[in-house]
Amino acid sequence: MVLLSGGLSVSYLIIETQSDMIKTQQVIADAEIKKIQEKFIVSVSADNVDNNRLAVYVKNQGSNSLQIDNIWIINQTDPSRPATKFETNYTESVLAPGYGTQILENYPLYMDSGDYLVKVISSIGTIRTAELEVGGRGPLKAKMMIDPPDVRIGENATAWLFVTNTGNTRILNVTADPIVVAPSSTVIASSPVIQVTSDLAPAESAIFAWKYNLMGTIGTNVTFSGFARGVDEPTKTPIQSNNEKQLVYLRDNNGLGTILTQTLLSKPEIFMVLPSPFGDSAQRGLWGVNVVNPTSQPIYVSKVVINAVTPRAQSNDKIFDVNGCSPVTVAPTPSSWSCPAGNQLMWKNSVTPQVIPPKSVYPFLVQVTAGSLAGAQDDLETILIQTNVFTTLGQFGKAGYGSSMRNTGSAIPNVFLSNAVGSSNPSNILSNMTNIKPGTYKTFNATIADFDTSVTNVIGSGSRLIINIPKGWTDVTMLSHNGFSTPTYQTFIDTSSQIVGILNQDISGAAGSAKTIQFRAKAPPVLDTQMYVMYVLADGDVIKNGDTANPFPIGPIAEILLQVSP
């Protein structure tokens, strides 16, 4: 009996122990399940309008009731990282599923400026942590950038304010206050903010941008500053970002799209006007060289030579024919053009060389009859063009240009500026514009023409006229575009821009007609004489006898010089 009693007692103890273990495991499992099911988010803010009063918003996203036991606030600004514990009120800290509340609504806490970690702990030990920056900062973080970072006088500068929601809740109606520029006198024009308001979810960002045109004394430090504001969605408290600043140095504008530069070797700059294709035709195409004097002293030009180099060895291709180029000078160039040798076109006057004033440009323009290709040779898809200029500073050359030539009759496409809309009359042709006043509006007639008068040779519909407007030129407005579908216009980050017009009809030079895109642009507000290059180009095809199955590509170019002078 004693042994039986002892055995039963041991068995009972074992069963009871196992029962306790099972109950303990059930409690632990229940707690783990509750922890897994316990889901809540925390948002903290300090209302800078109400003396930085702390707001802790908790929302229960789980399927069970939630109880918040306490809150710990850790001061990260203090090197010792002190932590303070705050017990919560039971009536304010028990949240039903899906319910949210500000658990410090009746417990005012006012925060000093600094960085904090706020830890919210539930009754079963779940911890949620949120960062808090007190002192006009908070979950909205702002970062400013000025583009370009090196701002020059008269240059358009874009101020970008990047705003990010680094908190855990949605921030509504995020907007940026106007950028403050100091000194304000440096701003002569500005745009409205590009993006007005945004709602930002956690980790989302918004970008606000303003454009400024700056003018002032070289060496001035210009300060851009700004901040963003919004409203915390759960607590409805206002939030303001940090006040972000950027300092830029106002430099001279020698690099603002200008080609007038002083180097160790002062030399003239060379720019061209040329047709493509050129002939084979009995008519005259437009050729020209713009010679720029970038120095502060006048220079004299005695000779300008345009060389055409064909790729066929030992050929008799005649781009410029010694016996038949028949040059006709285009004003204001003096009449000193000739074709002294095969494939050479020359302006020469050693007795009375042409003077080019300081920081100015002079055009050497001519219309010349196309030559012919040798025998039954194929078309010349590319002709290399090289230019040499002889001046009192020495002789200088420039290569890298190209034209083309057909073996049979062809249109002769040219692009240029004109004094009149739709005119190809030589008296209206311009390859440069000078004495443009800073900050004034100038009207341009960008023109494409066919100098071949045959009705069978045309510039085909669908060809494009392309105008690349140099940076610094603003407020571009389209005025007319007869012969083109509505042109497209786009700007680029460096403030340059481009107009592209597509011909909606063929161009024939039979009646001396041409097609023009007329537009207006505002000159840069420079303090010293500057020069800019406007590129006028064309892309498309010439068609002969309506044979659209065998088009020939076009590629005329005009490098137009624009002088802006106070």
Side-chain angles (χ1 to χ4, degrees):
M1 291 295 292
V2 171
L3 292 174
L4 179 61
S5 298
L8 291 172
S9 298
V10 171
S11 299
Y12 177 77
L13 288 174
I14 293 173
I15 293 171
E16 187 175 9
T17 301
Q18 290 177 339
S19 177
D20 290 341
M21 291 178 61
I22 291 172
K23 289 180 180 179
T24 302
Q25 289 175 347
Q26 287 178 340
V27 171
I28 295 173
D30 289 342
E32 291 299 324
I33 291 173
K34 286 183 178 180
K35 280 189 176 183
I36 293 172
Q37 292 177 339
E38 187 171 74
K39 295 180 181 180
F40 64 95
I41 60 171
V42 173
S43 171
V44 296
S45 64
D47 188 352
N48 57 353
V49 179
D50 189 14
N51 298 318
N52 294 330
R53 179 176 175 176
L54 178 64
V56 178
Y57 178 86
V58 180
K59 184 175 182 180
N60 184 2
Q61 295 181 321
S63 57
N64 300 319
S65 295
L66 169 71
Q67 180 180 346
I68 302 300
D69 267 6
N70 52 69
I71 298 172
W72 287 81
I73 300 177
I74 303 170
N75 187 348
Q76 298 197 109
T77 303
D78 192 320
S80 63
R81 301 290 195 274
T84 305
K85 180 180 178 181
F86 295 91
E87 299 289 347
T88 60
N89 188 320
Y90 177 81
T91 59
E92 295 175 346
S93 60
V94 177
L95 289 76
Y99 182 72
T101 187
Q102 209 283 82
I103 60 177
L104 296 180
E105 182 69 31
N106 297 313
Y107 194 100
L109 289 176
Y110 299 94
M111 309 295 292
D112 293 329
S113 296
D115 297 337
Y116 298 87
L117 276 181
V118 179
K119 294 191 174 184
V120 179
I121 304 174
S122 74
S123 59
I124 60 175
T126 304
I127 301 175
R128 294 289 184 267
T129 302
E131 294 183 355
L132 175 65
E133 295 180 64
V134 181
R137 292 182 287 180
L140 275 183
K141 300 296 186 297
K143 180 67 176 177
M144 182 179 290
M145 183 183 75
I146 308 299
D147 183 44
D150 195 6
V151 180
R152 297 175 172 87
I153 293 174
E155 187 173 45
N156 281 340
T158 302
W160 304 87
L161 191 67
F162 299 85
V163 182
T164 303
N165 178 6
T166 61
N168 299 315
T169 60
R170 190 177 182 84
I171 301 177
L172 307 177
N173 300 323
V174 177
T175 186
D177 277 30
I179 294 291
V180 176
V181 183
S184 59
S185 58
T186 58
V187 179
I188 61 174
S190 63
S191 70
V193 62
I194 293 177
Q195 183 172 336
V196 182
T197 58
S198 296
D199 293 338
L200 298 183
E204 282 189 342
S205 299
I207 300 176
F208 303 89
W210 300 257
K211 286 189 177 181
Y212 295 89
N213 194 267
L214 302 179
M215 176 69 75
T217 304
I218 296 174
T220 301
N221 286 319
V222 182
T223 302
F224 291 77
S225 60
F227 60 89
R229 62 173 77 242
V231 177
D232 183 65
E233 184 178 40
T235 62
K236 307 303 180 186
T237 56
I239 295 173
Q240 181 176 308
S241 76
N242 54 300
N243 189 35
E244 181 71 1
K245 293 185 178 181
Q246 278 291 334
L247 184 69
V248 297
Y249 182 77
L250 203 58
R251 294 187 54 191
D252 62 66
N253 51 11
N254 284 341
L256 185 60
T258 175
I259 51 81
L260 286 184
T261 56
Q262 294 284 351
T263 62
L264 293 177
L265 177 63
S266 295
K267 65 182 184 68
E269 300 283 354
I270 301 169
F271 299 90
M272 288 204 69
V273 177
L274 55 86
S276 180
F278 181 49
D280 189 340
S281 171
Q283 311 303 318
R284 294 182 176 89
L286 177 67
W287 293 81
V289 179
N290 278 316
V291 181
V292 177
N293 177 9
T295 72
S296 57
Q297 300 295 325
I299 64 173
Y300 292 84
V301 177
S302 58
K303 184 165 65 173
V304 177
V305 180
I306 299 174
N307 297 287
V309 181
T310 69
R312 293 196 280 251
Q314 306 298 324
S315 75
N316 292 317
D317 296 327
K318 298 177 182 178
I319 313 305
F320 304 123
D321 192 341
V322 176
N323 299 317
C325 70
S326 305
V328 175
T329 301
V330 176
T333 311
S335 297
S336 297
W337 287 99
S338 66
C339 294
N343 295 327
Q344 282 193 344
L345 179 61
M346 181 182 71
W347 181 93
K348 182 179 179 181
N349 192 331
S350 301
V351 178
T352 310
Q354 178 61 49
V355 62
I356 304 179
K359 295 185 178 181
S360 188
V361 57
Y362 195 85
F364 294 84
L365 299 175
V366 63
Q367 284 189 295
V368 60
T369 303
S372 59
L373 300 183
Q377 294 279 4
D378 292 334
D379 300 335
L380 279 178
E381 300 291 345
T382 299
I383 302 168
L384 302 180
I385 305 298
Q386 179 184 4
T387 302
N388 292 82
V389 177
F390 296 76
T391 75
T392 48
L393 294 178
Q395 183 264 130
F396 300 92
K398 189 174 183 181
Y401 294 96
S403 186
S404 59
M405 197 165 184
R406 300 198 73 173
N407 190 40
T408 57
S410 170
I412 306 179
N414 266 109
V415 290
F416 48 87
L417 294 185
S418 177
N419 277 325
V421 173
S423 174
S424 61
N425 191 309
S427 63
N428 289 322
I429 292 175
L430 299 172
S431 66
N432 62 74
M433 299 178 75
T434 58
N435 297 319
I436 302 171
K437 296 304 176 185
T440 61
Y441 286 92
K442 198 69 178 177
T443 298
F444 301 91
N445 297 319
T447 301
I448 180 171
D450 176 12
F451 283 109
D452 177 75
T453 58
S454 171
V455 294
T456 62
N457 302 317
V458 299
I459 301 173
S461 173
S463 297
R464 303 189 305 159
L465 179 63
I466 305 163
I467 306 116
N468 291 334
I469 303 170
K471 61 181 180 179
W473 288 77
T474 58
D475 293 349
V476 177
T477 304
M478 218 74 61
L479 301 178
S480 65
H481 50 85
N482 183 38
F484 295 88
S485 302
T486 302
T488 60
Y489 173 74
Q490 62 176 326
T491 59
F492 304 101
I493 195 168
D494 65 348
T495 74
S496 65
S497 56
Q498 184 183 75
I499 297 172
V500 178
I502 300 177
L503 286 170
N504 55 26
Q505 56 185 271
D506 295 340
I507 297 180
S508 169
S513 64
K515 300 301 177 185
T516 297
I517 294 176
Q518 186 183 67
F519 64 96
R520 184 183 67 180
K522 185 179 180 181
V526 296
L527 298 178
D528 189 18
T529 298
Q530 299 291 336
M531 299 195 65
Y532 304 83
V533 184
M534 176 185 291
Y535 293 90
V536 183
L537 313 103
D539 171 56
D541 300 297
V542 293
I543 307 298
K544 180 178 176 62
N545 294 325
D547 185 9
T548 56
N550 295 288
F552 194 85
I554 66 173
I557 183 173
E559 296 174 316
I560 307 297
L561 275 298
L562 307 176
Q563 182 201 53
V564 181
S565 181

